[in-house]
Amino acid sequence: MYTSTYVQKLYINPIIQYGAIPVFLDVTIPQYNIDVAQLEEAYTEKTKAVMIAHTLGNPFDIQAVKLFCDRHNLWLIEDNCDALGSTYTMNGITKYTGTWGDIGTSSFYPPHHMTMGEGGAVYTNNPLLNKLILSYRDWGRDCICVSGQDNLCGHRWDGQFGELPKGYDHKYTYSHFGYNLKVTDLQAAIGVEQLKKFPSFIEKRKHNWSKLYEALKDLQDKIILPAPANHSDPSWFGFLISIRPETGLNRNEVIKYIESKNVQTRLLFSGNIIKQPCFDELRSSNLYRVIGNLMNSDFVVNNTFWVGVYPGMTDEMIDYMAQVIKEAIEK
Ligand SMILES: Cc1ncc(COP(=O)(O)O)c(C=O)c1O
């Protein structure tokens, strides 16, 4: 199971909890996505899947990753939580991120492109994976009847499963150790309304990102600006900035100044995740593997931050943000 180190503790947790071995690869800058040159080195016969996030909306090199997965017969899971609405073009076909792999995931936690308050979605076009996903969502049930439905398949009372007697109610037959991950009707109602506004959210996010880029592009001797992946049209989650170390500027001082002017900043989530305290007890174990020295992930930990491109921001607000960032860097 491969992942890049810079981003999310959140999707690594289940890999560890499940007892699988995550393998961490470095990122490239200024894409802040997985360095595909390391993929082959990371592969072993035990490798089952590749799971990677599209960082802050910027698609990873889907073409290279897909070729790698096809070559080794691996599942591809796209963590699309930060990239809903991003597109990627391969062999003349343009598709949304999250639909290139076997499974895509979205988060509808409030800061994301659309929200349901909490919750998320998993998507696939593979009928078998779909059945498995629904089973894991619904306590691990074998039966596919939705709540309130009975005997859809007409075989509720005539199957034989595990060591249960023949004819045991299929409704209460469990083929997996699953969870209860259903969204509520209330969340769904919010999601339906958000979907109507979603296209305008994406346009506004792209607009805000481009406006920030224009305003900051003359500072490239001091900061590294983000770069969209080749063949992509990102639906940006945020705007990443790295301080060039040769400027002698201290990233924390820069963000403290920006925050003092009422502009919020964020670091790139967990940074180099294996440096986090949750790894303290794992460090001497063989419960994870690392490829190379994660030099760029460490660079991100020390020099990178980001600001939001929330669609509710006006041009005036974006101008103010850009002005404050300039002051922080030039003062
Ligand atoms: C890339 C990425 N993956 C996973 C998650 C986790 O999503 P949730 O908070 O819905 O569990 C997030 C949340 O911010 C995210 O940004």
Side-chain angles (χ1 to χ4, degrees):
M1 181 76 77
Y2 300 160
T3 187
S4 46
T5 47
Y6 63 91
V7 191
Q8 287 289 350
K9 177 165 168 317
L10 307 144
Y11 73 74
I12 288 157
N13 291 355
I15 302 174
I16 301 261
Q17 286 157 359
Y18 185 72
I21 309 249
V23 182
F24 297 105
L25 279 62
D26 211 353
V27 295
T28 59
I29 297 170
Q31 296 78 17
Y32 304 90
N33 274 316
I34 197 159
D35 180 358
V36 294
Q38 297 188 336
L39 282 170
E40 284 299 341
E41 190 187 341
Y43 178 78
T44 74
E45 278 177 2
K46 290 186 178 170
T47 307
K48 296 275 189 292
V50 175
M51 181 167 179
I52 320 175
H54 299 293
T55 306
L56 292 201
N58 199 14
F60 57 77
D61 184 343
I62 296 180
Q63 179 147 21
V65 171
K66 255 195 98 57
L67 277 173
F68 171 77
C69 289
D70 291 347
R71 193 157 54 245
H72 296 292
N73 201 19
L74 305 173
W75 299 109
L76 174 57
I77 304 163
E78 296 175 72
D79 178 340
N80 202 34
C81 291
D82 292 353
L84 201 61
S86 293
T87 59
Y88 186 85
T89 303
M90 189 171 17
N91 301 330
I93 299 169
T94 300
K95 294 205 300 182
Y96 286 109
T97 54
T99 66
W100 285 100
D102 299 289
I103 293 176
T105 62
S106 275
S107 169
F108 300 136
Y109 179 65
H112 290 272
H113 294 64
M114 56 168 275
T115 185
M116 298 192 316
E118 267 289 1
V122 176
Y123 22 95
T124 183
N125 59 4
N126 176 320
L128 179 59
L129 288 178
N130 186 42
K131 194 174 175 215
L132 286 169
I133 289 164
L134 292 176
S135 173
Y136 279 105
R137 183 196 65 178
D138 295 357
W139 308 279
R141 290 171 77 204
D142 200 66
C143 169
I144 58 165
C145 285
V146 297
S147 291
Q149 193 174 43
D150 284 328
N151 209 10
L152 177 72
C153 64
H155 294 282
R156 181 171 171 189
W157 307 106
D158 58 22
Q160 201 278 311
F161 299 93
E163 295 190 353
L164 292 167
K166 185 168 165 41
Y168 193 82
D169 190 351
H170 192 221
K171 217 176 177 35
Y172 294 102
T173 301
Y174 299 91
S175 37
H176 307 106
F177 293 101
Y179 308 88
N180 177 2
L181 299 173
K182 298 186 296 300
V183 296
T184 62
D185 284 359
L186 192 60
Q187 286 171 296
I190 298 169
V192 166
E193 286 307 306
Q194 286 270 289
L195 269 178
K196 294 177 190 162
K197 302 177 192 164
F198 182 66
S200 68
F201 290 164
I202 302 309
E203 286 319 306
K204 196 68 200 311
R205 282 179 174 274
K206 288 180 181 176
H207 170 84
N208 289 347
W209 190 94
S210 303
K211 205 166 161 49
L212 271 176
Y213 194 96
E214 274 304 306
L216 299 175
K217 71 170 192 257
D218 292 339
L219 294 175
Q220 295 193 58
D221 55 330
K222 297 203 171 64
I223 56 176
I224 303 172
L225 291 178
N230 290 336
H231 319 298
S232 80
D233 181 12
S235 163
W236 295 104
F237 188 55
F239 191 96
L240 273 156
I241 296 171
S242 290
I243 310 286
R244 291 192 188 276
E246 58 273 22
T247 58
L249 285 165
N250 175 304
R251 192 267 320 271
N252 283 9
E253 293 304 321
V254 169
I255 58 179
K256 272 191 220 158
Y257 179 84
I258 296 172
E259 298 251 349
S260 77
K261 300 286 176 185
N262 292 329
V263 174
Q264 288 209 346
T265 62
R266 292 287 183 270
L267 299 188
L268 194 42
F269 303 119
S270 62
N272 180 346
I273 193 171
I274 64 170
K275 302 251 161 111
Q276 290 279 348
C278 59
F279 270 78
D280 285 352
E281 286 173 19
L282 297 189
R283 241 167 246 129
S284 55
S285 77
N286 55 3
L287 295 176
Y288 67 98
R289 286 198 296 125
V290 177
I291 305 303
N293 59 10
L294 304 181
M295 195 175 72
N296 288 342
S297 301
D298 284 335
F299 177 92
V300 168
V301 168
N302 292 306
N303 301 293
T304 304
F305 69 97
W306 60 281
V307 291
V309 292
Y310 169 65
M313 281 191 289
T314 60
D315 281 1
E316 200 186 352
M317 291 174 188
I318 296 287
D319 288 341
Y320 174 74
M321 275 172 75
Q323 181 54 36
V324 167
I325 294 168
K326 270 190 196 162
E327 285 167 18
I329 285 158
E330 284 177 335
K331 87 182 162 65

